[in-house]
Amino acid sequence: AREEAQHALLSLAIDDWARTRLPARDGRALTDTRAEGVERLRAHLDADPRRDVRLLAGIPDATRANDLLSLVA
């Protein structure tokens, strides 16, 4: 989980960096695309994976997954 959190922070840092170098139109397109992706992900988070799958794969339950998504979206 710690390594995945580091990957998430890196992706946010890359996003910040890229936005300073993009024309405004491309920055808006990036924002729109990200918002679409967040909504698609959110639609899949309502279903709670089976407990044994969550434990084996380290997947959070639906409530925690939505909480995590809210931190970055």
Side-chain angles (χ1 to χ4, degrees):
R2 180 174 289 135
E3 186 177 347
E4 292 305 319
Q6 291 170 338
H7 291 157
L9 290 173
L10 176 60
S11 70
L12 293 172
I14 291 169
D15 181 69
D16 287 344
W17 171 83
R19 286 172 184 277
T20 65
R21 288 156 175 77
L22 291 174
R25 182 187 67 182
D26 293 340
R28 287 189 301 273
L30 184 60
T31 297
D32 293 345
T33 301
R34 182 178 181 187
E36 272 182 43
V38 167
E39 288 312 308
R40 291 174 118 185
L41 178 58
R42 194 177 309 278
H44 292 283
L45 294 181
D46 291 335
D48 226 355
R50 292 188 343 235
R51 186 175 189 279
D52 60 328
V53 172
R54 287 195 333 255
L55 293 175
L56 181 64
I59 300 170
D61 63 25
T63 300
R64 183 68 178 137
N66 276 292
D67 290 346
L68 291 169
L69 182 58
S70 295
L71 293 175
V72 296

